[in-house]
Amino acid sequence: MLDLRHIRREPELVRAGLLKKGDAAELDRLLALDAGYREALHELEAGRAARNSASRAIAELLREERTAEAETRKREVRALGERLAALEREVEAGRGEIETLLLGLPNLPHESVPVGADVASNRVERSWGTGGGRPAHARPHWEIGPELGLVDFERGAKVAGSGFLVFRDLGARLERALISFMIEHHRRAGFVEVSTPFLANRRTMLGTGQLPKLEADMYHLESEDLFLIPTAEVPVTGLHQDEILDEAELPIRYVSYSPCFRREAGAAGRDTRGMIRVHQFDKVELVKIVRPEASYDELESLVARAESVLQALELPYRVVLLATGDMSFASAKTYDLEVWAPGVERWLEVSSCSNFEDFQARRSNMRFRRREGDVALVHTLNGSGLALPRTLIGILENGLGPDGSVTLPAALRPYLDGLERIEPPGVRG
């Protein structure tokens, strides 16, 4: 959530930032509501002071037995009380409207983010490995996976509908091996592993910026007002909502595995074949809670951490700095890591690393006490380290050999009893 005081002080600066994200239509309404709210609040406070003064005057008149004057003042106080009651309702309604509008405003982009309306303005920062080509034997994962007995699309759809998968045999083992490898990889770098609920309440979803903007994309348990989490970012960041941390505790770095649930209501009809866009998938998430002064250095190191997983898995990838029009609602700056998938001839996002600055912290009331004693909002960051099953797509399509077998990255083999290749069923010994 944006700082209302900053909006009051620098409305045109805020307007320019919102326009870069695509829309500043609600800003004028917010400023008008805020002006009316502050005027009503000032009148309310002045009226309360006048009522207190009048009450003391009535008591004095009664002590002096000036009953008629006291009764006149009482009538005046009753009329003032009715006005104050109306003002209290007006102030409360104004406060609620302002809160609603603030919750609907996106974060402002960092000055280093390229300005553009969509993906066409994204900027490739660097690449690793040989990506962009297509070997003669390349095939899409939706052919490779079923032929090797790794993925069952039909039975997943039978159980839960389109967009749900069943991994079986070596496919299930490979998925589990990837999760274990990634968690250990990040844990060895100092990230603390946490396992959280896969459901989150409305307060936690609001805190990370999923609500109200993205509610249509969420699976909601209406009877309990709980949401299936779209990413472990939500519960992991929410661990410290309404807390004041000590500066000595920062930075906090967490790694967490979770399934992720997304209705993808805004993406209907897109990438419906294979595993590119599904309603449930596994992900290893990285979350950082840091001092504001360190957050952009922490962002760069977060990207490097996600890159290290792709390098260990020997997958060609590129790092893309997102333009203002392609960033998420809550982000101030985002890098996407995209793996090359030769079978579908596309770059596929497997990690999105973002700095939210104090946007989530303000919504979550997450602060820290500096050594000098003053209290400030923390900055929060998160990134996928990595998301499945697109990482699995990269392994299948890049590891495919002319004979139909898939060579596995060396880093995964210890998690698969030393298995080096997945061979077609007729070839397996």
Side-chain angles (χ1 to χ4, degrees):
M1 187 161 59
L2 300 181
D3 185 351
L4 183 55
R5 293 169 300 179
H6 176 60
I7 295 173
R8 290 170 185 157
R9 289 193 303 264
E10 301 283 357
E12 294 312 310
L13 187 65
V14 173
R15 188 188 310 278
L18 291 175
L19 285 171
K20 289 176 183 178
K21 276 285 189 87
D23 190 7
E26 296 288 4
L27 185 60
D28 287 334
R29 184 174 167 223
L30 173 64
L31 290 168
L33 276 171
D34 182 52
Y37 164 78
R38 285 188 289 159
E39 183 178 336
L41 182 61
H42 177 74
E43 186 180 348
L44 176 62
E45 291 171 346
R48 285 170 173 168
R51 182 174 59 185
N52 292 338
S53 177
S55 296
R56 289 192 296 270
I58 290 169
E60 181 64 26
L61 289 170
L62 290 174
R63 277 196 298 272
E64 296 175 359
E65 299 184 355
R66 295 159 64 184
T67 307
E69 292 179 59
E71 288 302 319
T72 300
R73 296 299 297 272
K74 285 180 182 179
R75 287 192 292 272
E76 293 173 355
V77 168
R78 282 195 291 271
L80 179 58
E82 292 173 3
R83 172 58 182 157
L84 291 179
L87 280 170
E88 286 170 353
R89 291 191 295 271
E90 183 180 340
V91 165
E92 189 61 31
R95 184 184 292 116
E97 286 187 81
I98 290 168
E99 178 80 6
T100 298
L101 283 178
L102 281 172
L103 287 172
L105 291 180
N107 201 359
L108 303 179
H110 188 262
E111 60 186 10
S112 63
V113 174
V115 178
D118 51 34
V119 295
S121 299
N122 291 349
R123 190 170 73 214
V124 177
E125 298 290 280
R126 56 186 174 275
S127 60
W128 187 90
T130 305
R134 189 180 195 276
H137 63 273
R139 298 169 65 201
H141 63 279
W142 55 74
E143 294 179 4
I144 302 168
E147 286 184 12
L148 293 179
L150 309 178
V151 188
D152 192 328
F153 294 107
E154 289 74 19
R155 287 189 173 92
K158 179 167 66 175
V159 169
S162 63
F164 293 90
L165 310 173
V166 170
F167 293 100
R168 62 183 307 275
D169 194 21
L170 282 173
R173 289 182 61 198
L174 182 55
E175 178 108 351
R176 179 160 47 89
L178 278 165
I179 293 166
S180 297
F181 159 69
M182 291 175 188
I183 288 175
E184 288 304 309
H185 182 78
H186 298 307
R187 215 175 54 77
R188 286 194 295 268
F191 284 74
V192 175
E193 183 180 1
V194 290
S195 179
T196 68
F198 299 154
L199 291 160
N201 58 33
R202 185 171 292 272
R203 167 84 171 95
T204 305
M205 295 284 284
L206 278 166
T208 51
Q210 312 297 321
L211 301 182
K213 175 74 172 178
L214 302 173
E215 187 159 357
D217 284 333
M218 306 302 159
Y219 287 99
H220 182 215
L221 281 66
E222 187 171 352
S223 61
E224 300 177 58
D225 200 21
L226 292 172
F227 296 83
L228 292 173
I229 61 171
T231 165
E233 167 203 344
V234 175
V236 176
T237 305
L239 292 176
H240 294 289
Q241 62 189 349
D242 298 317
E243 291 184 16
I244 299 177
L245 302 164
D246 288 331
E247 186 171 7
E249 297 179 71
L250 304 179
I252 293 172
R253 300 185 179 109
Y254 288 131
V255 57
S256 184
Y257 154 76
S258 79
C260 304
F261 304 90
R262 301 181 185 182
R263 292 183 59 230
E264 298 281 11
R270 291 173 52 195
D271 300 322
T272 55
R273 193 170 188 185
M275 300 188 291
I276 295 175
R277 189 178 296 276
V278 290
H279 296 311
Q280 177 185 330
F281 61 95
D282 289 326
K283 182 152 66 86
V284 172
E285 189 77 0
L286 304 172
V287 170
K288 293 184 177 184
I289 300 170
V290 306
R291 294 182 303 110
E293 299 84 358
S295 67
Y296 279 96
D297 287 339
E298 292 283 359
L299 176 62
E300 297 301 324
S301 68
L302 183 65
V303 175
R305 179 107 296 271
E307 287 185 78
S308 71
V309 178
L310 288 167
Q311 291 173 14
L313 295 176
E314 306 164 42
L315 295 175
Y317 69 88
R318 66 183 188 181
V319 178
V320 179
L321 177 59
L322 299 193
T324 53
D326 195 34
M327 290 165 57
S328 74
F329 172 82
S331 176
K333 185 174 184 177
T334 297
Y335 292 97
D336 275 2
L337 274 64
E338 299 175 343
V339 69
W340 175 247
V344 295
E345 297 185 88
R346 286 179 59 182
W347 293 98
L348 300 177
E349 177 206 326
V350 292
S351 178
S352 190
C353 299
S354 299
N355 186 355
F356 304 103
E357 297 185 355
D358 61 12
F359 189 81
Q360 292 181 329
R362 182 170 288 106
R363 296 166 76 106
S364 299
N365 190 29
M366 194 186 311
R367 297 168 290 167
F368 76 106
R369 191 179 304 280
R370 295 187 185 274
R371 291 178 179 87
E372 297 80 11
D374 58 315
V375 175
L377 292 166
V378 297
H379 279 195
T380 60
L381 304 91
N382 81 271
S384 313
L386 305 163
L388 292 82
R390 290 182 185 178
T391 300
L392 185 55
I393 292 174
I395 290 172
L396 295 180
E397 295 192 5
N398 285 284
L400 182 69
D403 64 351
S405 66
V406 171
T407 300
L408 296 172
L412 285 184
R413 295 172 191 172
Y415 298 87
L416 293 162
D417 298 324
L419 184 67
E420 296 182 8
R421 294 200 312 168
I422 301 176
E423 297 178 329
V427 179
R428 294 177 195 170

